[in-house]
Every structure is written in C-alpha cells, then in structure tokens.
Amino acid sequence: MARFLVRYAYDPALTDDRVTRLADHREWLAGLDAQGRLLAAGAFTDGAGAVIVIEAPDAAQAVATMDDDPFRIAKLVADRSVDEWNVRWGPLA
C-alpha cells in the first residue's frame, strides 16, 4: 500500500456549514480508521484547512477514497491536493 498526503484548503465563508457536517466527516474518517487506511488527520489551528494521511493501492484509489468525504460531497473543500508521500522517518514510515 502506498501512502498519500491529502491537503484541504477551506473557504472561511463556509465555516458554519463545515461545523454542521463535522459529525458526518468524522464518522467517515472513523470508517477509514476502522479499515486501517487512515494514518493521521487533523485541521490547522487557524481553520484554513486540514491534512489527512491515508493508505491506498494507488493514486486513483486515493482520489476516489477522498471523493467520498462528506465535506467534499457537500462542496465544503475549496481546494484539495492528493500526493503520494514517500515517508522515510517517523512513526508513519
């Protein structure tokens, strides 16, 4: 399995909408975690976005996985990047 670093940028005007959908987003993350595919996730302290690290067989599957995020479905992510991450050191290596 490859590792992918996903970076979200949020539109500040949609903060209230994200708060409304946060339980759905967290439930989706919990599902990835239960499958052993979620390695890390968290929002930036300034609210500008978030990072999610997942495992997937390839880039296409990583993108497809992230397309299922309720935040993405509700158009609450202003910008997203999904990059294969070659982790060399640390607990995620």
Side-chain angles (χ1 to χ4, degrees):
M1 281 279 193
R3 293 191 171 109
F4 294 85
L5 188 135
V6 181
R7 183 177 172 116
Y8 283 177
Y10 294 146
D11 179 345
L14 300 176
T15 299
D16 290 342
D17 295 328
R18 277 191 306 280
V19 169
T20 301
R21 298 294 300 254
L22 188 56
D24 294 337
H25 172 71
R26 287 180 174 166
E27 183 178 325
W28 174 78
L29 288 171
L32 288 179
D33 190 36
Q35 296 169 20
R37 297 179 59 208
L38 179 68
L39 302 178
F44 300 128
T45 58
D46 66 0
V51 167
I52 301 169
V53 182
I54 64 168
E55 286 189 328
D58 55 40
Q61 184 58 47
V63 169
T65 296
M66 297 311 300
D67 284 347
D68 290 337
D69 182 349
F71 275 6
R72 176 80 172 178
I73 292 167
K75 301 187 186 320
L76 299 176
V77 177
D79 190 43
R80 176 185 77 180
S81 63
V82 180
D83 297 292
E84 189 167 355
W85 189 26
N86 189 11
V87 184
R88 294 287 187 189
W89 293 277
L92 298 180

